Each structure stands twice: as C-alpha cells, then as structure tokens.
Amino acid sequence: MENRKDLIYNYISDLQIHLLNGGFTHCRPDWGYQNLNPEYNKMYYICDGEGWIRIQDQDVYPSPGQFVFIPAGTLHSFSTVSSNTYTKYWCHFTSNIMFSPLFQYYGLPYVMNTSPFDGIVQAFQRMEQTLSWTAPSLSLRAKSAIYEIISSFIDHSVRNELESVAPASVLKLQRVTEYIDHHMDKDIKIEQLAEIMHFNTNYLYHFMKTHLGITPMQYIYKRRLDKAKDLLTSTDDTLADIASVTGFSDVYHFSKSFKKNTGISPRAYRIGAAKR
C-alpha cells in the first residue's frame, strides 16, 4: 500500500496548479449540466443538501461530509434532486499534470468519505477566506490550500479505499520501482527493467510515462536524487559515500546533478536542513 502511495506522489511530484475560481456556495434550484467535459479539474466538499452527479457512467449522490474530485477531461453530468440543494465548498483549477490516470490505474475514488482529521474541510475554508483578500500572498495561500486538499485526498484514499485495489499493471509497476530502489547503486539499464516486466523497451517507456508521468530514466534519476536528499539530512555519510550508493559515478557528477536539480550544492542542502 505504501509503495502505491509513493508511486502516486512520484507521479505528481512536479505538480503545478492554477486556480480558476472557487468559493462557498448554496446551489440554486436550477444547478445542473449535462455531458460536461471541461479542461479543468473540479473539487467539492459537500456541507449540506443533496444532489446527483454522473461521472463517466457512474451515478453518485454525494452526501454531507463527502469529498468529490472530477479530473479534467472526465465526462460528467450533475443536477439537483430536490429543493434541498447542495451547500458546498468548491474549486476549479488547471494543472500541468493529468489526474485522470490516477483514477484509471490506481483506483482513486471520485467520491470519498472524509473525517475532521483529514484536513480537507479546513483547507477549503482557508482557500475560501483567501479569495476575498487583496494581499500579494493571495495566490500562494490559495494554492497552498489546494495542494493540502490534494495531499489529504490521496493520503485518505490510499489508507481507506485502496487496500484491496491492485490492478495487474500497478503490481508490475511496483515490481519495477522496487527493483530500482534496491539496485540504485548499480548502472540500471532500460533493457533490464523491460525484462523484469516482460515488456519490450518501447512499451516500457510508454507504460511508465503513462503511470508515473515521466520516462524510465527520468524516474531513476529522480529516485537517486530523492535518496541522496534523505541521506544528506539523516546521516553523516560523506558525499563520496552518498554518490556511490545512489548510483552517481563520482562526487563531481553527483554535486553537479544535485545542484542542477535543487539550485544548491549537496553541502548547502545539508547545512540548510540542519538549521530547520
């Protein structure tokens, strides 16, 4: 389960968002639309009332306390079902990463029960409050709230919804990512990974790009840097030792790659982490 959560977070690790609009709304009696397929993502937190949403071919009736995520490019319809219309927090946003593969391949739910400990409603409240501000920090604070909503949604989904969801494609992906993590100090070849998954190299490229959002070599490079960051902050290992166990050819190559990725040297990263 934790490995699947790591895969999801790796997929969205470079996520950037742009808030289009949002707020706290009591839906009008004529709230509704048929066969909508927007290029933006939707998130709702239902506070009160009742309604109907069809997502793809799935009919759902979200109730108070439930969270709804409709990724961009997803065909859906919605409407009221009575005079007791929804009161909800909501937001629409675009992103540089498509969320739909997370629902298709990892089984994330479109509708999810929440609890006060998830932080979702609190984050929606902060987002809604910042929308009325005129301070320069408005955009950053609103985005921060949305990132927290997305993180809480993924954490809660993996913990409570995905325990029995293990599509064959995800199991294969877990095998190859575990292989990478356990052989990071080696010169990993694409041909080795393709053999593990019984794919040809071209299909492996498209498979990992679809499921992780990046190519096999980009994923290996990212995991090496992630491991290096962890070792820099949690151990006193020398840069040479860290370079060796993370698969960099020497300290120079490691330092150059690390600075290109983070903007600072490994030493500066370690010093900065120690001060936090």
Side-chain angles (χ1 to χ4, degrees), residues 189-209 215-217:
K189 303 293 187 183
I190 297 299
E191 291 76 14
Q192 292 173 293
L193 301 180
E195 185 176 350
I196 291 169
M197 299 181 73
H198 306 292
F199 291 161
N200 64 47
T201 53
N202 287 335
Y203 187 78
L204 173 67
Y205 177 94
H206 292 294
F207 180 84
M208 293 189 71
K209 181 77 172 175
T215 67
M217 292 311 299

Side-chain angles (χ1 to χ4, degrees), residues 19-194:
L19 177 63
L20 299 176
N21 45 31
F24 179 75
T25 300
H26 185 187
C27 294
R28 295 167 38 143
D30 62 351
W31 180 77
Y33 207 96
Q34 293 292 318
N35 299 323
L36 192 62
N37 191 11
E39 296 182 354
Y40 53 83
N41 305 284
K42 291 183 171 185
M43 297 193 300
Y44 302 152
Y45 176 81
I46 307 300
C47 300
D48 197 10
E50 55 186 359
W52 164 82
I53 305 177
R54 173 174 290 164
I55 305 174
Q56 303 286 31
D57 57 354
Q58 178 182 353
D59 286 348
V60 293
Y61 297 83
S63 57
Q66 290 192 313
F67 172 79
V68 181
F69 195 128
I70 305 175
T74 301
L75 185 67
H76 66 283
S77 305
F78 54 90
S79 73
T80 60
V81 296
S82 73
S83 59
N84 182 26
T85 61
Y86 280 140
T87 299
K88 60 185 174 70
Y89 287 101
W90 62 280
C91 73
H92 298 166
F93 68 97
T94 57
S95 58
N96 63 323
I97 291 171
M98 291 296 294
F99 281 93
S100 53
L102 299 181
F103 295 80
Q104 180 179 357
Y105 298 114
Y106 297 96
L108 293 187
Y110 294 113
V111 180
M112 180 188 77
N113 293 321
T114 67
S115 78
F117 304 104
D118 292 325
I120 288 178
V121 64
Q122 294 88 344
F124 266 115
Q125 288 169 345
R126 288 198 301 275
M127 180 210 72
E128 194 269 337
Q129 290 167 359
T130 62
L131 293 177
S132 62
W133 294 3
T134 57
S137 61
L138 163 64
S139 176
L140 287 177
R141 290 181 181 273
K143 285 183 178 181
S144 175
I146 295 173
Y147 282 123
E148 183 172 344
I149 293 168
I150 294 170
S151 295
S152 297
F153 165 60
I154 292 172
D155 289 344
H156 187 92
S157 297
V158 172
R159 183 171 67 247
N160 295 327
E161 305 286 347
L162 302 183
E163 293 181 357
S164 62
V165 178
S169 59
V170 174
L171 292 177
K172 284 191 173 186
L173 189 59
Q174 288 179 191
R175 280 216 326 270
V176 77
T177 56
E178 287 171 359
Y179 179 90
I180 291 169
D181 284 347
H182 294 154
H183 298 81
M184 205 174 294
D185 58 331
K186 305 293 193 300
D187 182 17
I188 302 173
K189 303 293 187 183
I190 297 299
E191 291 76 14
Q192 292 173 293
L193 301 180

